[in-house]
Every structure is written in C-alpha cells, then in structure tokens.
Amino acid sequence: MNTRLTILFLTLLLACSIRVLAQSQSSAPTTKTSNSAVHKKVKTNDGEQRFQANCGRCHTPPEAISPREVKAVLQHMRVRAMLSAEDEQLILKYLAP
Amino acid sequence: MKRVLGTLIALLGIATSVCAQADVPILSGALAFNSSTTGGATTFQPTLAPVLVAPIGDHWLFEGRAQLLGFFFQQNGTSGPYNGQFFATLDYAQIDYIANPHLTITVGRFLTPFNIYNERFSAVWIANLQDAPVIFPIGTRTSASSNGGMLRGVVIERPNWLLNYTAYFSALQTTENLQAGRAAGGRIGMFLPKAGIEIGASYQRFLQNRNYNVAGTYFAWQPPQIPLDVRAEYAHSLGGQGYWLEGAMRIAKSRGTTTWLGRLQTVARVQQFFKGTPTPQDLLPSADVNQFDFGLNYYLPHDVRLNGSYGRQYSSAGNANIWNVQIAYRFLFPAWPGEHK
C-alpha cells in the first residue's frame, strides 16, 4: 500500500515536471527594446521576479504592503531569505516604486 | 507566560523609543484555529502567533515571534468532556546586525537553522500541511529554537547561482518557554534562481547528555513557469533517520491568479522514518513510520486561508488516520498608527 502511494505521488510529480519542460520550450523569447518606458517596466518585472524567486519560495505575498511597512518587511526578509544586495534593491523598487 | 509577554512588551517599548518614524516597526503574524483528529482522538488548537519586526537604522533589526496556543482535548482521548489549557512560547527574539549581504550577526533566541523546514515553512500561515514532518525533531531537538549567536549571509553571488551559509552556537537553557539545547552547527545552501532550484546541507553537533552528530540535506524546486512547489528534506541522527517529499500545486497558470479555482492548491507529501538507537527525549517516534498526506488549501481574499488534509500513518506502534482542518488569518500592519508617505 505504501509503495503504491509513493509511486502515485512520484508519477504526479513526474507529470508536473514534463508539463514544466513543455511550457518552457514553447514560450517565446522576450523582445528587447531601447524604449525607456519599456525598460522601466522590465526593471519592475525584474523586481517582481526577484520578489517571487526569493519571498515566494516560502510563502504567498500579503495582499497589501504599505510604503511605511516596506523597510521593516525588507529587512526581515534580508535576514530570513539572505537576499543579495541586487535582490534587495530590485525588490525595494518593486514594493515601493 | 507572563515572562514571555513581559519580554515582548519590554522589547517593543525599547524598539519604539529608539526607532525613527521612517523605520516603523511592523506587527505581523497569524490567528488560526486548527482541528485535528488522530486515530479517533480529536483536539482543537486556537493559535495566535504575533511577529514583531523593528528596524533600527539601516543595519540593526529586532525580530521576535511568540505563540499563544490553546490545546483542547477529550478527557479520555476519544470520549468524555473536553479539557483545555493555554500556554505560550517564544519562538525567537533576536537582534540582528546586518553588516553587509555577506554577513549578518545575530544574538538572542533564534529558530535553529537546521535544514529549511523549521526556519521557513513551520509558521502556521506558511505550512502547506499543518502537521510537521516526522523527522522534524532531528536537528531541532528540545524547542526548535536556539539561544546564542549566529552568523549568516551570502558567500558568493552570481547571476545564475548564489551560495549562502549559516553557522551558530546555542547554550543549554531549561527555563520554561525559553528552552534550548547546547549545540553548534551550520548549513550551506545553493540557490539557482533561474531554475528555481535550491539545494543544501546541514550539520549539527549536539553537545549535551550524549554528544552526537546530526546531519541533513534539503532540496526545493519552484519552476518559474507553473505554480508548483516541490520540497524535500533528509535528516539523520542517532535516534533515527528519514525523509519527506512534498509537492504543492495551485490550480492555475500562474501563482498570482485570483480566480476562484486559481486560489485552490493541492498538496501531497510522502515520508518515511527509520528508527535508530533510542535516545532520551529525542521526540522521535518509537518505531519506523511510513506516512502519506494529501491536502487542499484555499487562499481566500484578505489573507485568509482554509486548509484540510488527510493522512495515513503506518507504524508497528499502530496505524492511524490523521485529519486536519484549519482556518488561518495572516495579518500585517504598522506597530503604531501614522500617515502614509
């Protein structure tokens, strides 16, 4: 019974992995442009990606973080998630643009 | 309990007096109610877990988390009237000096950084399944907290990978609510942000009663393309060894989806524990354990989460069904009122 459950779980995991690989191969590459507005958006996206990559590794983000709370939240995460300097700056810009 | 609350209030007062308005402390945490039925015995556990974070300038930070827990159970296990009691614990109350991204110095009481479950996934509003893994006591023996000092930071940072470390020492503390074991250890981890993969290893030398080594390793994978979280840990100690492997997936194309179906998350976990040499008060099961858990989490608006899970435990000490239902509300607000900038 235990072995069957383990095999079932691993099969589900394998199916998810295959789906990930399939999606990554079909996704189109991002077009680069020198437009400053787009560049700013890319930076914001960088912050969002870093936020997801670092903070989202453990938990879903709170629905709202006010500007007054950002510094404390970020310092807390800096210690907990051992953010790099670049991550910290990008996430700060994302949370408090 | 009074001592814990007194300590928290005193630290809040100190933080309040030294912080500038720009460094507003935050009060976060969760309020939760959990119902658990294991082998037919039902218990109810209301929980309040406040977290206080107070930055003091750019380099200093105070962080603290307490838990006020209620535990209500039937007098005869599966029958009779319910009895209950409340108690409090102090999970951490630490002062951090953030020298730079490579070094943070921590003193005080902190979560023992053995593998990653204790530090990162054990909070009531974060854990995908409410029951901690069977191997959780390995490396976090006594209270899962340490009293002493810790160094941590990023060793090397590259665009495609990052290496981090943690080293700590803890002194023996037997005071109620502040218990900690005498131990020293460390952890090293590598994070590959583009792939969403994290691997690492932990080591600890338990330095009281019968000195022995504890070791562990962990793996986490969060593919950027789909909302899947895979986490696993292995740990070995004198008292036994084992592993757990957990997968959680949101029923959506991306993590931020807020459709009614996109708020649903399915979770599954398998774990095995193999009993070693029994050691006193190691908090590990008395026999080998195989366990499977399946759960559903639903993320409601306003940071409320509902979750339910079913688990089946197979052990020579007795098989059991484990049912858990929980509602948790996560809160976050400034520790004192003020105008938005």
Side-chain angles (χ1 to χ4, degrees):
Chain A
M1 179 69 177
N2 300 336
T3 311
R4 286 180 189 169
L5 290 173
T6 306
I7 289 169
L8 176 66
F9 181 78
L10 291 174
T11 307
L12 286 170
L13 201 61
L14 182 64
C16 291
S17 308
I18 291 168
R19 189 179 155 188
V20 172
L21 291 172
Q23 283 197 0
S24 64
Q25 285 177 359
S26 63
S27 61
T30 308
T31 307
K32 287 185 179 177
T33 166
S34 59
N35 183 293
S36 61
V38 175
H39 183 69
K40 189 176 178 183
K41 173 133 180 153
V42 169
K43 283 288 176 192
T44 306
N45 287 342
D46 279 351
E48 188 177 359
Q49 284 171 6
R50 300 295 176 100
F51 182 86
Q52 184 54 49
N54 290 281
C55 313
R57 270 190 281 166
C58 301
H59 59 83
T60 56
E63 280 195 358
I65 302 175
S66 78
R68 294 179 70 219
E69 299 159 353
V70 167
K71 182 171 182 180
V73 168
L74 208 60
Q75 284 212 6
H76 181 59
M77 293 311 303
R78 191 172 164 183
V79 174
R80 299 274 141 198
M82 290 190 268
L83 299 179
S84 67
E86 188 184 359
D87 287 342
E88 188 187 350
Q89 287 307 310
L90 287 168
I91 293 171
L92 178 63
K93 285 177 185 168
Y94 168 62
L95 293 175
Chain B
M1 184 168 174
K2 284 179 183 173
R3 186 176 295 174
V4 173
L5 289 174
T7 305
L8 276 178
I9 291 167
L11 287 168
L12 177 61
I14 294 166
T16 301
S17 63
V18 299
C19 288
Q21 177 67 12
D23 301 338
V24 177
I26 56 168
L27 199 55
S28 182
L31 182 64
F33 186 85
N34 188 48
S35 167
S36 178
T37 302
T38 303
T42 300
T43 59
F44 300 105
Q45 297 131 38
T47 304
L48 173 63
V51 176
L52 175 66
V53 179
I56 308 164
D58 290 332
H59 293 280
W60 293 90
L61 180 70
F62 168 79
E63 308 172 274
R65 186 178 84 195
Q67 291 211 50
L68 306 172
L69 302 160
F71 190 76
F72 295 87
F73 54 94
Q74 283 182 293
Q75 206 164 19
N76 302 317
T78 56
S79 62
Y82 277 87
N83 288 334
Q85 59 184 21
F86 283 91
F87 53 94
T89 59
L90 184 62
D91 294 338
Y92 59 87
Q94 61 189 69
I95 298 284
D96 305 311
Y97 175 69
I98 307 166
N100 54 55
H102 302 292
L103 177 66
T104 295
I105 303 167
T106 295
V107 294
R109 181 170 174 81
F110 51 88
L111 294 174
T112 305
F114 183 84
N115 279 346
I116 52 176
Y117 185 87
N118 186 39
E119 268 198 325
R120 288 168 41 183
F121 305 132
S122 63
V124 70
W125 64 98
I126 292 176
N128 286 329
L129 293 165
Q130 287 315 304
D131 287 333
V134 173
I135 61 167
F136 177 64
I138 298 177
T140 61
R141 187 176 166 177
T142 65
S143 61
S145 299
S146 295
N147 295 344
M150 172 170 64
L151 305 177
R152 60 195 295 150
V154 175
V155 183
I156 305 170
E157 178 191 358
R158 296 285 181 271
N160 293 327
W161 58 277
L162 183 147
L163 193 67
N164 60 57
Y165 74 96
T166 304
Y168 64 96
F169 174 79
S170 174
L172 171 65
Q173 178 64 266
T174 56
T175 307
E176 192 181 359
N177 302 323
L178 297 172
Q179 291 162 326
R182 186 165 186 268
R187 182 183 65 198
I188 191 149
M190 176 175 276
F191 177 46
L192 311 174
K194 290 182 179 171
I197 290 174
E198 195 177 358
I199 52 171
S202 301
Y203 168 78
Q204 184 190 80
R205 178 76 174 166
F206 199 69
L207 298 165
Q208 66 183 69
N209 301 330
R210 185 177 173 182
N211 294 1
Y212 60 87
N213 296 323
V214 182
T217 184
Y218 63 88
F219 168 79
W221 180 43
Q222 195 175 61
Q225 296 89 353
I226 60 169
L228 170 70
D229 298 327
V230 179
R231 299 162 179 167
E233 281 188 351
Y234 164 80
H236 178 277
S237 76
L238 189 64
Q241 61 177 319
Y243 72 89
W244 60 269
L245 170 64
E246 179 186 290
M249 186 157 177
R250 293 282 281 265
I251 313 297
K253 285 186 178 177
S254 67
R255 294 173 200 281
T257 305
T258 54
T259 60
W260 69 271
L261 192 59
R263 292 177 180 275
L264 185 65
Q265 183 184 44
T266 56
V267 188
R269 181 175 69 189
V270 289
Q271 49 184 335
Q272 285 192 296
F273 171 72
F274 306 98
K275 188 67 183 170
T277 305
T279 50
Q281 299 175 332
D282 62 9
L283 305 175
L284 290 166
S286 57
D288 291 358
V289 171
N290 297 324
Q291 189 171 325
F292 176 83
D293 297 278
F294 175 78
L296 292 172
N297 293 331
Y298 197 79
Y299 293 83
L300 291 161
H302 307 296
D303 294 321
V304 175
R305 187 178 75 169
L306 291 172
N307 59 41
S309 68
Y310 166 75
R312 178 70 178 166
Q313 187 176 84
Y314 301 90
S315 168
S316 56
N319 300 339
N321 291 321
I322 303 166
W323 295 91
N324 283 311
V325 179
Q326 187 190 67
I327 181 168
Y329 166 60
R330 182 173 66 168
F331 54 84
L332 169 66
F333 49 83
W336 61 70
E339 290 181 7
H340 288 271
K341 289 186 176 179

